Amino acid sequence: AIPDEHEGDQCADPPRQINMARSIMLLSSFAVASALVVSSMPTRVTSSRSMASKISMNMDIMSTAASLRGPDIFWGADGVAQGYEESDIKGQDNFGKFCQAVSAAGLDQTLRSGEYTVFVPTDAAFDDFKGTMTADILKYHVVPGRVPSGSISGDLQTLNGASLTYRRYVRKTFLDNAMIGISSAGASKGQNYPTDVQCSNGLIHAIDMVLVPGEFSSV
């Protein structure tokens, strides 16, 4: 009998098909494993310093403060167990608690209409504050007119009636105990507080503490 000319190919096809199937299975397994590794890696948050803040200069002080991104919050030692470096960014501090306090005190319309410079404590600063928040304390953070950080050279009278005490120390500007323009030096992992934030009716300087009338002492 004359052998079929396709007989040899039929004998060779199954091994080729098996090898192809194995290759496909290996590639699929690798893809799944890669996806699992990627999904299990902790998500890194981008620094607020490198992300453009969507702040419009046409917004008033209250609207700007509500949407302003504050200083970075780092994971620290607590993040190590979750796969983060201590210097990885956990998120950003914000100013929502100041806005809520202003609204609760009935001062929100004041900060939407007149022209002011406002020293706005972060949410973390509100958390650290142990006293009772009052309208007088909030007014102590508000100065009439626009006062850029670089022009502060003396005490500033507030809507509270009392004045914030100016001092210059280690080439930094302080009002009472609050440093104005906190920023990291060089490539360090320090925090950066928004300063000279332009609003339609004034300026915002972020600070890391709640200021209380009569609490500051230069002694």
Side-chain angles (χ1 to χ4, degrees):
I2 299 175
D4 191 338
E5 61 179 350
H6 298 294
E7 187 174 353
D9 293 339
Q10 290 174 351
C11 293
D13 281 344
R16 290 199 192 97
Q17 293 173 355
I18 291 172
N19 288 335
M20 290 177 63
R22 286 177 178 170
S23 298
I24 293 171
M25 290 176 65
L26 286 171
L27 289 172
S28 299
S29 300
F30 177 77
V32 171
S34 299
L36 289 173
V37 170
V38 171
S39 63
S40 64
M41 292 176 65
T43 302
R44 262 61 179 182
V45 178
T46 303
S47 171
S48 62
R49 197 176 188 182
S50 61
M51 295 178 69
S53 188
K54 296 180 180 179
I55 302 301
S56 169
M57 291 177 63
N58 294 323
M59 294 196 297
D60 57 50
I61 290 171
M62 286 296 291
S63 299
T64 301
S67 56
L68 185 63
R69 180 179 292 123
D72 295 329
I73 299 173
F74 299 100
W75 273 99
D78 293 338
V80 176
Q82 301 183 48
Y84 294 93
E85 299 291 335
E86 291 188 17
S87 59
D88 281 346
I89 297 169
K90 184 177 183 179
Q92 278 81 37
D93 206 349
N94 295 303
F95 307 94
K97 293 184 178 181
F98 173 82
C99 295
Q100 291 172 7
V102 168
S103 296
L107 299 173
D108 51 329
Q109 288 306 313
T110 299
L111 296 187
R112 291 183 188 279
S113 54
E115 185 172 79
Y116 302 104
T117 295
V118 186
F119 299 92
V120 183
T122 62
D123 288 347
F126 268 79
D127 291 339
D128 291 338
F129 179 62
K130 304 305 180 185
T132 301
M133 185 58 60
T134 65
D136 278 342
I137 290 177
L138 292 168
K139 289 179 181 179
Y140 192 57
H141 295 76
V142 183
V143 174
R146 293 176 183 261
V147 185
S149 60
S151 71
I152 300 174
S153 58
D155 295 354
L156 298 177
Q157 187 170 14
T158 69
L159 287 188
N160 168 278
S163 294
L164 295 166
T165 301
Y166 165 81
R167 61 193 175 100
R168 188 76 176 168
Y169 180 67
V170 293
R171 294 188 292 181
K172 302 293 183 181
T173 296
F174 288 81
L175 289 173
D176 286 4
N177 286 317
M179 184 191 297
I180 309 304
I182 300 174
S183 61
S184 61
S188 69
K189 291 286 187 176
Q191 293 179 308
N192 297 278
Y193 285 66
T195 307
D196 294 311
V197 179
Q198 296 282 345
C199 310
S200 62
N201 64 323
L203 290 171
I204 288 176
H205 304 307
I207 56 177
D208 65 348
M209 65 190 312
V210 172
L211 303 170
V212 180
E215 188 176 87
F216 172 74
S217 174
S218 58
V219 178

